[in-house]
Amino acid sequence: MAKRPPIQLELDLPLPGRGEAPRSDTTEVEAVTVTRTDESPARADRLMEAICAWENVETAARAVMRNKGAPGIDGMTVKELPDVLKERWPQIARELVEGRYRPQPVKRVRIPKPDGGERALGIPAVIDRMIQQAILQRLQPEWDATFSEHSFGFRPGRSAHQAVAAAQAYVIAGHEHVVDIDLAKFFDRVNHDRLMAQVAKRVTDKRVLRLIRAFLTAGALDGDRLETSREGTPQGGPLSPLLANLVLDELDRELERRGLCFVRYADDCNIYLRSAKAARRVMASVTRFLERRLKLKVNEAKSAVDRPWKRTFLGFTLKEAPGFPRAVSPQALRRFKERLRQVTGRHRGVTLKRMIAELNPILRGWAGYFGFSEGHELDTLNGWIRRRLRCIVWVQWKTRRRRFQELRRAGVSEKTVYAAIMSCKGPWRIAASEALHRALRNRTFAQRGLFTMVHHAVA
């Protein structure tokens, strides 16, 4: 492989790039599209050279740096990546091309799940993360074109919103029974031999095959204990979502062969049918296929045959109403309110300005996703948030004298002020009073920078 002069490694890597896995506290990966070459690298015997090409490595490094993420077991941070590449990349590239590179074990971390459990992530070392990203950039454009149109997770140009809209379309068309399949610890139970057999159908470069298996079997350091990896693909690495889609492509093809209407987003799969009897039959047969053929386990406690408006899919549900409009699921609403209560605790002792600054990123992110709802949840939440802020201000004013002064300064009449400060109602009920609404109007919060959540039109 022709080497670039070392000076090339001083390129401005911190510039924004595309791709790589997100930060370690998330479960999604941002897919990338790389321009195809005349010779398909996924079928060539020189795929490793394409992976190690400097242009590909530079793009991968930028993606890793942009996504930041936690250090792996070696403690190396993404900020150190440019210097490490400058010093070590020729040696690393030589090891990769010669088939001698060995990934480090991943660092085991656990993050809370919405249902109260924990999700185990495997955080690769930064160099390993970059190599995985470089592999992803070469394989994904080739593989993605072969995946099912019913698969929406971790794919370029596809999103959770599109998956929800596709599910909604099936229900509108009369498929009013859903087989909701939840796979138990999917990423931890992927069978390595079956997975590598699928990879080998698409990749002929044996060095790449050995490298991918090495990533799968690198093990995990959990505290001081090194765990072996006999199955599974650790969440946290850029390559895992692509491999997961490859595993579940077998499920997609089986469902297509049966002519079923379904939507899959990563390991969340919903199948839509016209009758409860057919749905129960499909649930039984698909469960057998998953467990016997793919060696995966269906979580019986979370899987069910039910009506779509009684189930949740990617944080949304459908209402049993004309057109089956999309709505934020009750579980998602409850979790969001719990999070906001933590930020807007009335005894936190922080200024309203600082509280609004802490709230805004949360509100923007939530509205960016759940603004896809066709209900009125965001409008209701806006009012609820403002009431919490009025409640906090009322508590912070503390004394009747201070409350009198602040309300009068805001132009509230004496009669209305006295009705508020002499009331025996608690802060939450006072927050809905005429006095607080006149003193702290909606436009007052807008002037102080509070983000207002709005619904977004379907793209």
Side-chain angles (χ1 to χ4, degrees), residues 120-362:
L121 298 182
I123 309 302
V126 172
I127 288 292
D128 288 339
R129 221 148 66 212
M130 190 210 69
I131 294 172
Q132 284 194 38
Q133 177 67 20
I135 298 172
L136 174 72
Q137 291 168 180
R138 288 301 185 186
L139 296 185
Q140 187 165 57
E142 297 296 323
W143 293 11
D144 191 78
T146 70
F147 289 153
S148 168
E149 63 178 299
H150 303 281
S151 167
F152 292 87
F154 310 126
R155 298 183 61 190
R158 289 177 166 250
S159 68
H161 288 172
Q162 292 174 338
V164 173
Q168 181 185 25
Y170 285 136
V171 179
I172 291 173
H175 300 81
E176 298 183 12
H177 297 267
V178 62
V179 176
D180 186 352
I181 296 176
D182 182 271
L183 295 176
K185 297 183 178 180
F186 166 70
F187 284 91
D188 296 333
R189 289 179 170 162
V190 170
N191 183 279
H192 287 174
D193 291 336
R194 286 196 59 83
L195 170 57
M196 290 308 303
Q198 292 298 317
V199 175
K201 292 178 181 178
R202 299 164 181 256
V203 173
T204 59
D205 191 325
K206 296 187 183 302
R207 297 166 299 175
V208 177
L209 293 174
R210 287 195 296 268
L211 181 59
I212 293 175
R213 183 177 280 276
F215 277 119
L216 293 173
T217 59
L221 191 64
D222 191 350
D224 296 327
R225 183 166 56 94
L226 181 63
E227 301 175 348
T228 57
S229 302
R230 294 187 177 89
E231 61 180 2
T233 172
Q235 296 185 68
L239 197 54
S240 292
L242 179 64
L243 297 178
N245 269 335
L246 183 60
V247 171
L248 292 175
D249 188 59
E250 284 194 70
L251 171 63
D252 297 341
R253 298 310 176 189
E254 175 66 16
L255 299 180
E256 287 178 345
R257 186 186 66 80
R258 300 184 189 186
L260 296 171
C261 299
F262 71 97
V263 179
R264 184 177 65 78
Y265 190 94
D267 55 338
D268 289 333
C269 183
N270 280 5
I271 308 169
Y272 295 88
L273 299 110
R274 295 183 181 275
S275 72
K277 182 178 179 180
R280 287 191 292 270
R281 184 173 65 248
V282 167
M283 170 64 91
S285 62
V286 171
T287 297
R288 286 194 300 271
F289 176 84
L290 287 166
E291 296 185 347
R292 296 178 183 177
R293 178 76 176 272
L294 301 188
K295 310 301 180 184
L296 299 172
K297 178 68 176 175
V298 173
N299 188 332
E300 295 182 2
K302 294 184 178 180
S303 301
V305 172
D306 211 333
R307 295 289 202 167
W309 45 89
K310 295 182 180 180
R311 303 298 294 178
T312 295
F313 183 50
L314 301 177
F316 292 91
T317 188
L318 301 180
K319 291 187 176 180
E320 190 180 8
F324 302 102
R326 300 181 297 270
V328 182
S329 72
Q331 299 93 319
L333 278 172
R334 183 177 62 254
R335 290 193 297 266
F336 184 57
K337 282 191 168 186
E338 288 173 355
R339 188 179 182 189
L340 294 185
R341 286 189 181 98
Q342 295 175 359
V343 177
T344 60
R346 62 177 75 168
H347 299 297
R348 282 191 63 204
V350 301
T351 64
L352 182 63
K353 180 179 180 180
R354 177 178 166 184
M355 193 168 288
I356 288 174
E358 292 179 10
L359 274 174
N360 281 345
I362 300 172

Side-chain angles (χ1 to χ4, degrees), residues 51-66:
I51 290 169
C52 293
W54 176 248
E55 292 79 5
N56 189 53
V57 171
E58 183 183 33
T59 302
R62 287 180 173 179
V64 170
M65 295 184 69
R66 181 201 58 167

